[in-house]
Amino acid sequence: MRRESENISIISITSTSFILVLGNSMLIPVLPEIRHDLQLTQVQASLILSIFSIAGAVTIPFIGYLSDRFSRKHIILASLLLYGFGGLVSGIASILEASFSFEGIIFGRILQGIGSAGTAPIAMAIVADMFLGSKQLKVLSLMEATNSLGKVVSPLIGAFIALIMWHYVFFVFPLACSILFVLFYLYVKNEDSSSEKLVFKNYVSHLARVMKENKFYLLTSYSAGAFCLFLLFGILFYSSDLLESQFETHGFMNGVILSFPLLFLTVASFLTGNVIGKFSNYINRILIVNFLLLSLFLLAILLNESLWWTILILSFIGTSIGIVLPCMNAIITNSVRKEARGFVTALYGSVRFVGIALGPIVFGYFMDVSISTIFVLSSLLCLIQAVLCFFYLDKKK
């Protein structure tokens, strides 16, 4: 019974990654219908996605403080309620079809973004609180694998629901959050932070000292995680356009092709979690090797323009990113002591949001200027990241 309860607890914790991914990925295939029915501009339609990420990125550091000040479990429960309520607001606003439907959807999406800040980023801190050693690494990697799987599955969920009525997509959020809320409440142990009595001023001073003492270590870790997601979403954005314009694939076939790098990323994350405990002393070398490989893959994608070559290289890129991200999760969660862990992991979640938001924007800009330039620059940045990992992630400086 205890083993079963622990397994359900792990499922509940790792499911926060899936819930987080639903926030944007499930709406992507539905946006054209939303734009058409509500007569929105492209900018307004894109705001339905971006406002979620912006609200989350801004809120995450504050949620991190609250999770260090109070119970992480209670913060996640409150965040799930807000996340689900925001979806309900957006759903009701969309069904009303009034003049303020768009504004109502945006308001609900802001609430969802704020709620999302207290899901997976805080769950990472809970994993570090509850588990040690190889078990901790496995659960963290399972979180990353669940996140990756969500990127594959959630657009399909959105597209399927849209076959009935696109408005119903928003009601998936309160349903999913309610289920996870119950599981979290019943099976995840309540871990009160050791810093519960810290006043805000002392907490900020403590964080400033932590960040100063570990500045290069943390900055390198943050940049590695954010850069990987920048590459992933930037390349997926570029590939989606490439499939349409050059290979003339459309609709469902595009989803199948783009699922390959995400599936490889998911499998790589899961397998990394199962073996990383045996190679925990070599995480730094694993990161260096994979950033060097990413540098080569980014150049290789420019060597051949065939569809199968593109799929192959995208799958290699997805595999390397799938290896790097679980390693970064392990590094971040163990970089500081428990009393600052919530803030540090939350800030990591914030920079991940920034990487996700910037990828399509930057790649989109260079697609109109010179696509080869962004791939060469990204390759150079991978080399720089490998050098930073060599100097600053071997041990805290």
Side-chain angles (χ1 to χ4, degrees), residues 76 237 358:
I76 290 181
F237 182 81
L358 287 180

Side-chain angles (χ1 to χ4, degrees), residues 5-23:
S5 178
E6 183 181 90
N7 289 337
I8 298 177
S9 174
I10 292 174
I11 292 173
S12 302
I13 293 170
T14 56
S15 293
T16 57
S17 290
F18 188 86
I19 291 287
L20 180 63
V21 172
L22 283 181

Side-chain angles (χ1 to χ4, degrees), residues 157-380:
I157 296 175
F160 176 77
I161 295 174
L163 293 175
I164 307 171
M165 184 181 288
W166 65 261
H167 308 75
Y168 294 162
V169 172
F170 291 109
F171 294 101
V172 173
F173 296 113
L175 176 62
C177 288
S178 297
I179 294 172
L180 186 55
F181 179 93
V182 173
L183 291 175
F184 226 93
Y185 180 81
L186 293 177
Y187 292 100
V188 178
K189 186 169 61 173
N190 188 17
E191 289 280 345
D192 290 331
S193 172
S194 61
S195 60
E196 187 172 354
K197 296 182 179 180
L198 273 179
V199 297
F200 184 74
K201 181 179 179 181
N202 293 340
Y203 178 83
V204 171
S205 299
H206 172 70
L207 285 178
R209 186 168 63 254
V210 169
M211 298 300 287
K212 182 178 180 180
E213 292 173 352
N214 303 279
K215 55 182 179 295
F216 294 117
Y217 186 87
L218 289 174
L219 287 174
T220 300
S221 302
Y222 287 159
S223 65
F227 182 60
C228 279
L229 290 170
F230 165 84
L231 282 180
L232 178 64
F233 281 85
I235 291 173
L236 288 176
F237 182 81
Y238 158 75
S239 301
S240 178
D241 180 79
L242 183 71
L243 292 174
E244 290 274 354
S245 61
Q246 184 167 323
F247 301 123
E248 298 182 351
T249 60
H250 306 284
F252 182 73
M253 184 54 66
N254 279 356
V256 171
I257 293 172
L258 292 177
S259 70
F260 274 91
L262 294 171
L263 284 172
F264 274 79
L265 190 152
T266 302
V267 173
S269 296
F270 180 76
L271 294 179
T272 300
N274 285 326
V275 302
I276 196 172
K278 301 176 182 178
F279 302 98
S280 57
N281 293 329
Y282 303 97
I283 287 181
N284 185 48
R285 299 179 189 179
I286 293 172
L287 292 172
I288 293 171
V289 168
N290 278 280
F291 274 115
L292 292 176
L293 288 174
L294 280 171
S295 180
L296 294 176
F297 295 151
L298 289 167
L299 296 178
I301 203 170
L302 299 174
L303 298 179
N304 192 305
E305 296 183 348
S306 71
L307 176 59
W308 290 110
W309 178 259
T310 301
I311 294 174
L312 178 66
I313 298 302
L314 287 178
S315 299
F316 285 156
I317 290 173
T319 300
S320 284
I321 292 177
I323 294 172
V324 169
L325 289 178
C327 293
M328 297 316 308
N329 290 348
I331 287 174
I332 290 292
T333 53
N334 291 288
S335 60
V336 295
R337 294 190 304 182
K338 181 177 180 180
E339 56 265 27
R341 187 176 291 147
F343 178 86
V344 170
T345 59
L347 189 58
Y348 178 58
S350 186
V351 299
R352 282 172 64 115
F353 266 108
V354 172
I356 292 170
L358 287 180
I361 295 174
V362 174
F363 271 76
Y365 170 78
F366 279 96
M367 283 165 62
D368 292 330
V369 180
S370 171
I371 191 60
S372 59
T373 301
I374 185 58
F375 277 101
V376 172
L377 288 175
S378 297
S379 177
L380 290 174

Side-chain angles (χ1 to χ4, degrees), residues 31 45 79 89 276 334:
L31 277 182
S79 297
V89 170
I276 196 172
N334 291 288

Side-chain angles (χ1 to χ4, degrees), residues 97-117:
E97 296 185 356
S99 58
F100 55 83
S101 289
F102 172 69
E103 289 77 7
I105 291 174
I106 291 298
F107 177 67
R109 295 290 288 163
I110 292 173
L111 295 179
Q112 284 191 288
I114 296 172
S116 72

